[in-house]
Amino acid sequence: EGSGVYNLYGVMVESDDHYWAYMRPEMEGDQGQWYRFDDRESATCAMSNATAIDASFGGEEWLCVNYLYGPSAVLTRPKESRACLLVYLKESAMEILLHEPRLPKLSKEFQSSTLSREVQQ
C-alpha cells in the first residue's frame, strides 16, 4: 500500500567492541539533521548528512597521496568503523511512525490502586 519509497532513518555503527548510532528524528524527505548517540560520550552531537553517511561506510580511507610516485599513488587503510544495521522508514507510513508520543490511558482500577498504595506509604 502506498509508495515503495523508503528513507534512511538510522544507522548503527560498529568499531571493534564499540557501537554508536546516527539518527534523524525529524525527517524532512531525504534531508533532516543527523544526531550521533554514543555510549562513551554523555552529549549528543549534531552532524551533517555527509559526515554521518561517510562515517558509516566501511571500505578504505585515504592516508595521503605520495606525489613522488604520481597522483595515483594513494596510501589507504581499511576504515575501523562500519555500519552493521540500517533502519529505513516507509515514506507512506512516516506520518504515523514519527508522531509525538501520548501518555497511555490508564484504567480507573489501576489509577485507584496506585493512588491507594501511595497514600499508604
Side-chain angles (χ1 to χ4, degrees), residues 38-52:
D38 190 331
D39 62 342
R40 292 187 181 173
E41 300 171 14
S42 60
T44 300
C45 57
M47 46 191 45
S48 70
N49 196 16
T51 302

Side-chain angles (χ1 to χ4, degrees), residues 1-120:
E1 184 175 313
S3 71
V5 176
Y6 289 80
N7 291 314
L8 185 61
Y9 178 73
V11 180
M12 180 169 290
V13 180
E14 181 258 333
S15 177
D16 296 327
D17 63 343
H18 180 226
Y19 295 86
W20 63 90
Y22 295 104
M23 291 184 66
R24 285 190 302 169
E26 298 157 354
M27 300 284 289
E28 297 165 6
D30 196 28
Q31 304 303 309
Q33 180 67 59
W34 285 94
Y35 294 91
R36 178 180 167 139
F37 297 88
D38 190 331
D39 62 342
R40 292 187 181 173
E41 300 171 14
S42 60
T44 300
C45 57
M47 46 191 45
S48 70
N49 196 16
T51 302
I53 299 300
D54 184 57
S56 303
F57 273 90
E60 295 183 331
E61 60 185 345
W62 285 24
L63 293 176
C64 65
V65 176
N66 188 338
Y67 288 104
L68 295 174
Y69 298 105
S72 61
V74 178
L75 298 175
T76 61
R77 70 173 177 200
K79 283 190 175 180
E80 294 180 4
S81 61
R82 62 218 145 268
C84 61
L85 175 72
L86 303 176
V87 178
Y88 287 91
L89 296 180
K90 191 171 186 178
E91 197 168 75
S92 60
M94 284 174 46
E95 189 173 317
I96 297 167
L97 295 171
L98 298 177
H99 70 279
E100 285 287 322
R102 293 179 293 175
L103 292 175
K105 293 183 180 179
L106 303 175
S107 69
K108 293 185 188 229
E109 295 84 22
F110 180 78
Q111 289 175 351
S112 62
S113 67
T114 304
L115 182 62
S116 65
R117 274 188 265 157
E118 289 175 358
V119 170
Q120 291 173 359

